[in-house]
Amino acid sequence: MAIMQYILPALALASTTLAQCSNQGTLTIASSADASQLASCTTYSGSVAIETGLAVDKDANGHQQLEITTVKKITGNLTVTSAHLLSSLTFGSLQSISGFELGDLTVLSELSMPALTEVNQLNFTALPALQNLDFGGTGITKASSVLITNTGLSSLMGINNLRQVDTFNINNNQALQNISLQVSSITNSLDIEANDGFQTGLTTSFPMLETATNMTFRNCSSISLPALANVTEDLGFYGNAFETFYAPNLTTAGGLIFVDNEALTNISLPKLTSINATYQIANNTLLTRIDGFTKLSIIKGALDFSGNFTDVELPALTQVQGAFNMQTSGKFDCSAFDKYSSNHVIKGKYTCRGSETKPGGVGSNPSSTSSGSAASGTSSAGQFQANLPVVIGGTSVIAALMQLML
């Protein structure tokens, strides 16, 4: 009986502590007392939300700081939105969260989680004062989904050691200078766009990335993908500022798209053999020669080139299952591709025009009525072909001979 006098209070205390560290709904932190309840747990089973009107002390600037040091794991989500006075948030021991959402925190300038390594979903939006992530050590190494938009971040230190990620979307972060990730695969999508880096240009590097499903790059000054071998859906580059693109190990892609990259002068994909959807190159002002696809054999969708190029070389091409559209404002010889059309390498509608006033994409109507074979340029075999008209009769023969002499 004497033993029971000690056991029953201990069980009651344990039951109370367990109740404090578990919630089928969401624990809302609205005051220091609520924060103390969470601080009593090492693992909290449930989700945690920090109240918009957080009632904690303010500093001399009228801002609030919140620090919780004990909890190591939150099995649910941690959500902080519209706490407009919160300038500092610290979870000193937190290692793992299911979902982590920060949104509309206009004065948050300090985020410290030095032990955090694993997040299922990370969603940071509208954090204009946040310039750095303090995740300490190696930082986050595993995440399912990452979205960072409209923040003041100048780098992604703290998540740059990600090894696994399904979806990675970084957009509209005006101060962001560099993105460098160690991921080897991206199973869903990667989107990087409108990160202006204060006009110095965003540099991106994925030195270990080998496979991806869908990748979109916009407004980047450089893109490095040295290990990339396969993209199952689209690999697209839109409005970037890089001069060259080189992916030495890329062998297959779903769609391959280069549009509005005004500084682009060279594309080199020496191992690319097949494209399983559309292959589009359009409106890349300085790209006059397209010759970096020496092993490309099969295009299962359409080939759609438009711009002001004068030379195109596709020496290994054996099959284009969709439409073939090649329109350029430059002088261009279509003879090699005429042969591809006549011998049914090209299965779909065939259009090839040089010296176009307004070169357009698939489905557009060329402004000229000629075949587009111009008196300069090289074919895919690297040989010039004159493409003279068939002539009958003395006058036409003389005219043809004069043309040959000229």
Side-chain angles (χ1 to χ4, degrees):
M1 294 296 293
I3 294 175
M4 293 298 292
Q5 291 178 341
Y6 295 102
I7 291 177
L8 289 176
L11 289 174
L13 178 61
S15 177
T16 301
T17 302
L18 182 63
Q20 289 178 339
C21 295
S22 178
N23 191 335
Q24 292 184 351
T26 298
L27 170 64
T28 299
I29 296 178
S31 65
S32 298
D34 298 327
S36 296
Q37 176 184 336
L38 182 60
S40 68
C41 310
T42 54
T43 296
Y44 185 82
S45 299
S47 294
V48 176
I50 295 177
E51 178 67 38
T52 298
L54 184 64
V56 297
D57 293 339
K58 300 176 183 178
D59 62 18
N61 296 316
H63 296 161
Q64 298 171 321
Q65 292 83 38
L66 183 63
E67 181 175 0
I68 299 174
T69 58
T70 306
V71 64
K72 294 182 178 180
K73 181 177 183 179
I74 298 174
T75 63
N77 301 327
L78 174 60
T79 303
V80 191
T81 57
S82 302
H84 293 149
L85 299 180
L86 187 65
S87 64
S88 176
L89 179 64
T90 299
F91 279 76
S93 301
L94 188 61
Q95 299 171 2
S96 174
I97 326 170
S98 179
F100 187 15
E101 179 181 1
L102 301 179
D104 192 23
L105 304 174
T106 54
V107 299
L108 183 70
S109 59
E110 182 179 357
L111 177 64
S112 180
M113 297 185 174
L116 188 64
T117 60
E118 185 173 341
V119 175
N120 185 30
Q121 295 182 331
L122 186 149
N123 189 332
F124 289 178
T125 63
L127 309 173
L130 186 64
Q131 298 182 10
N132 300 290
L133 301 173
D134 180 9
F135 292 149
T138 59
I140 297 174
T141 58
K142 183 179 180 181
S144 173
S145 172
V146 174
L147 169 65
I148 298 177
T149 178
N150 193 21
T151 75
L153 291 172
S154 59
S155 79
L156 297 184
M157 292 294 292
I159 64 171
N160 58 310
N161 284 320
L162 271 174
R163 296 293 190 270
Q164 300 177 29
V165 67
D166 297 332
T167 301
F168 191 78
N169 188 328
I170 310 296
N171 70 81
N172 289 285
N173 302 283
Q174 298 302 306
L176 193 58
Q177 304 277 333
N178 174 264
I179 296 175
S180 180
L181 289 189
Q182 306 305 310
V183 291
S184 60
S185 66
I186 297 173
T187 56
N188 189 5
S189 63
L190 179 144
D191 293 275
I192 297 176
E193 55 185 298
N195 303 286
D196 290 339
F198 287 128
Q199 298 182 351
T200 61
L202 176 74
T203 62
T204 60
S205 177
F206 298 84
M208 300 176 66
L209 181 62
E210 296 179 358
T211 63
T213 299
N214 195 305
M215 303 176 71
T216 300
F217 296 89
R218 298 179 189 267
N219 317 113
C220 298
S221 62
S222 69
I223 298 170
S224 177
L225 300 166
L228 186 65
N230 177 48
V231 180
T232 55
E233 295 182 9
D234 285 350
L235 173 59
F237 305 90
Y238 307 86
N240 295 286
F242 55 77
E243 296 181 4
T244 64
F245 178 73
Y246 177 50
N249 290 297
L250 184 65
T251 59
T252 61
L256 182 60
I257 304 160
F258 294 86
V259 174
D260 294 330
N261 303 287
E262 294 184 353
L264 183 62
T265 60
N266 182 62
I267 306 169
S268 180
L269 304 175
K271 292 186 179 180
L272 183 68
T273 59
S274 64
I275 297 173
N276 296 320
T278 296
Y279 177 22
Q280 183 182 23
I281 295 178
N283 197 31
N284 302 285
T285 309
L286 299 181
L287 187 65
T288 59
R289 185 177 180 87
I290 302 171
D291 61 353
F293 304 88
T294 55
K295 293 186 177 180
L296 180 61
S297 175
I298 297 173
I299 301 172
K300 294 185 178 179
L303 182 148
D304 188 8
F305 289 2
S306 58
N308 62 346
F309 49 84
T310 56
D311 301 315
V312 176
E313 297 183 15
L314 298 170
L317 194 63
T318 61
Q319 185 179 141
V320 179
Q321 294 184 5
F324 183 103
N325 177 74
M326 192 168 292
Q327 298 185 39
T328 175
S329 58
K331 292 182 177 181
F332 189 74
D333 178 11
C334 289
S335 57
F337 302 112
D338 292 342
K339 292 178 181 178
Y340 284 158
S341 178
S342 62
N343 64 16
H344 304 294
V345 167
I346 299 167
K347 310 298 184 183
K349 181 181 178 181
Y350 173 73
T351 303
C352 185
R353 297 286 189 272
S355 302
E356 278 294 304
T357 304
K358 295 181 179 179
V362 167
S364 65
N365 294 318
S367 58
S368 65
T369 58
S370 69
S371 69
S373 298
S376 65
T378 58
S379 70
S380 63
Q383 296 177 344
F384 176 83
Q385 297 180 346
N387 285 339
L388 294 177
V390 175
V391 290
I392 302 174
T395 303
S396 297
V397 170
I398 294 172
L401 290 172
M402 291 297 292
Q403 187 174 358
L404 284 171
M405 293 174 63
L406 294 174

